């Protein structure tokens, strides 16, 4: 690997993303992209070391990307396209690479949310991912232990924000949230970050297809206290769900199991503040910032 003093980006600071070993589709995409990069490089008669110098990365990383062991960053593909005179063919692979860079479980969830006509979400300990601002999402992900690398943090933030495309669908799905009071009061990112997050939640809660409720801290115990619940309903009448506190947290589609989640979610909604009072509560919190 060439050192930073030689003007190249250090692999320690600018690595390609790791490939999820359980993501068969992702592995196939990354291997195909790597093979195309290698064939193109060899076709112009350029050694890996020289190519690394030209694109600004170490030789070791070039080999890892070409062998399908690392996911290349978009800027890597752009630079490779330019250096290898590929006429846009390599840059065109950025969209597939972008999808692969998102963790498989997040990508699968986003696919289901993109098809759903109804989405119901309850969160016990955090603001739901669909409602998080970029800064809020970044602070939460950075708080993980052991910590993620800076590259992985940005990758996970991008994946979380990509899910918000459900708000841009036409026709829009019916979306319902139940938020606990405690996370709403947690000043993630300081006073300004907290204020921006509350404003974002209020804006989403006022959309005509979104219903938002707040669960006060002084409410009696309810069936959502052991974790997150999400319910998705699709145009063909089928549904899917997941709960941290049921069925080992795995996604379910069995009607009997779904009825259990629907009962729990319905109980939570009944105990939470009505939508109008919930928005007024968040507006009051915003006045405290």
């Amino acid at each position: 690997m060439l050192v930073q003093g030689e003007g190249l980006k250090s692999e320690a600071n600018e690595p390609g993303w790791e490939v999820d070993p359980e993501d068969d589709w992702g592995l196939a995409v990354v291997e195909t992209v790597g093979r195309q990069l290698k064939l193109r490089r060899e076709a112009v008669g350029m050694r890996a070391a020289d190519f690394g110098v030209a694109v600004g990365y170490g030789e070791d990383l070039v080999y890892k990307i070409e062998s399908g062991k690392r996911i290349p960053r978009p800027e890597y593909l752009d630079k490779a396209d330019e250096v290898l005179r590929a006429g846009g063919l390599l840059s065109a692979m950025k969209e597939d690479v972008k999808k692969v860079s998102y963790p498989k479980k997040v990508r699968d969830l986003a696919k289901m949310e993109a098809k759903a006509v109804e989405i119901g979400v309850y969160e016990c300990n955090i603001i739901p991912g669909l409602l998080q601002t970029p800064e809020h999402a970044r602070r939460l992900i950075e708080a993980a232990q052991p910590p993620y690398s800076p590259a992985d943090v940005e990758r996970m933030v991008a994946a979380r924000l990509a899910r918000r495309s459900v708000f841009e669908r036409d026709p829009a799905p019916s979306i319902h949230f139940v938020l606990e009071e405690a996370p709403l009061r947690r000043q993630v990112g300081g006073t300004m970050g907290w204020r921006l997050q509350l404003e974002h939640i209020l804006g989403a809660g006022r959309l005509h297809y979104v219903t938002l409720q707040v669960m006060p801290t002084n409410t009696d115990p309810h069936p959502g206290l052991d974790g997150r619940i999400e319910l998705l309903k699709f145009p063909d009448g089928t549904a899917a769900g997941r709960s941290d506190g049921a069925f080992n947290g795995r996604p379910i589609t069995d009607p009997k199991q779904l009825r259990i989640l629907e009962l729990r979610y319905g109980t939570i909604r009944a105990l939470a503040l009505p939508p109008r009072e919930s928005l007024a509560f968040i507006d009051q919190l915003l006045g405290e910032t």
Side-chain angles (χ1 to χ4, degrees):
M1 181 177 72
L2 298 175
V3 298
Q4 287 179 290
E6 294 174 296
L8 300 187
K9 298 178 181 177
S10 166
E11 285 185 36
N13 296 323
E14 295 287 347
W17 294 305
E18 294 284 354
V19 185
D20 182 349
E22 298 182 359
D23 185 359
D24 293 337
W25 178 78
L27 288 168
V29 169
V30 175
E31 287 174 359
T32 300
V33 171
R35 190 180 305 116
Q36 291 300 315
L37 285 164
K38 182 179 180 180
L39 289 173
R40 194 79 191 186
R41 175 178 61 77
E42 292 178 340
V44 299
M46 182 176 286
R47 297 184 308 144
D50 296 331
F51 176 72
V53 172
V55 298
Y57 287 85
E59 180 181 359
D60 185 54
L61 180 59
V62 172
Y63 281 126
K64 287 178 179 177
I65 289 175
E66 291 183 350
S67 63
K69 294 179 180 179
R70 291 290 180 91
I71 306 172
R73 291 172 175 272
E75 59 267 26
Y76 183 98
L77 292 174
D78 283 337
K79 190 65 177 177
D81 195 280
E82 177 185 342
V83 170
L84 301 177
R85 301 185 295 279
L89 294 177
L90 298 179
S91 292
M93 297 188 290
K94 287 190 295 184
E95 192 59 36
D96 282 338
V97 169
K98 178 182 177 181
K99 294 176 183 177
V100 173
S101 69
Y102 298 157
K104 182 178 183 297
K105 62 180 181 180
V106 177
R107 196 170 68 238
D108 291 345
L109 176 60
K111 286 181 180 178
M112 290 195 295
E113 290 173 340
K115 297 176 182 177
V117 293
E118 292 183 37
I119 301 174
V121 179
Y122 162 77
E123 276 286 6
C124 182
N125 299 309
I126 63 172
I127 303 297
L130 286 173
L131 292 176
Q132 291 176 13
T133 63
E135 179 62 18
H136 191 97
R138 184 173 291 104
R139 292 298 185 98
L140 292 185
I141 294 170
E142 287 175 341
Q145 290 294 336
Y148 294 106
S149 69
D152 280 339
V153 169
E154 293 309 313
R155 177 168 64 120
M156 295 171 75
V157 169
R160 187 166 298 180
L161 297 180
R163 290 174 52 208
R164 300 197 310 188
S165 62
V166 296
F167 292 102
E168 302 168 2
R169 284 170 46 192
D170 185 16
S174 174
I175 309 177
H176 187 280
F177 297 100
V178 180
L179 293 70
E180 287 284 347
E181 175 183 344
L184 288 171
R185 291 187 176 276
R186 186 172 295 122
Q187 298 189 23
V188 175
T191 302
M192 183 54 68
W194 182 40
R195 181 177 182 84
L196 291 174
Q197 179 61 75
L198 293 177
E199 289 176 343
H200 182 71
I201 293 172
L202 271 179
R206 288 170 176 153
L207 295 172
H208 71 277
Y209 54 87
V210 174
T211 304
L212 191 148
Q213 291 180 258
V214 173
M215 180 70 76
T217 301
N218 62 1
T219 302
D220 291 336
H222 60 76
L225 292 177
D226 53 0
R228 183 175 191 265
I229 295 175
E230 180 163 11
L231 287 167
L232 304 170
K233 296 184 179 180
F234 305 106
D236 62 0
T238 60
R242 188 181 73 81
S243 172
D244 292 338
F247 315 115
N248 297 317
R250 70 180 187 277
I252 60 169
T253 56
D254 179 76
K256 292 182 179 179
Q257 294 176 332
L258 284 169
R259 279 196 291 272
I260 293 174
L261 292 192
E262 288 171 350
L263 175 61
R264 294 183 178 186
Y265 189 64
T267 302
I268 292 169
R269 289 187 63 176
L271 292 172
L273 294 176
R276 182 176 296 180
E277 292 181 30
S278 295
L279 291 178
F281 179 86
I282 297 173
D283 197 38
Q284 181 181 340
L285 286 180
L286 189 57
E288 298 174 8
T289 61

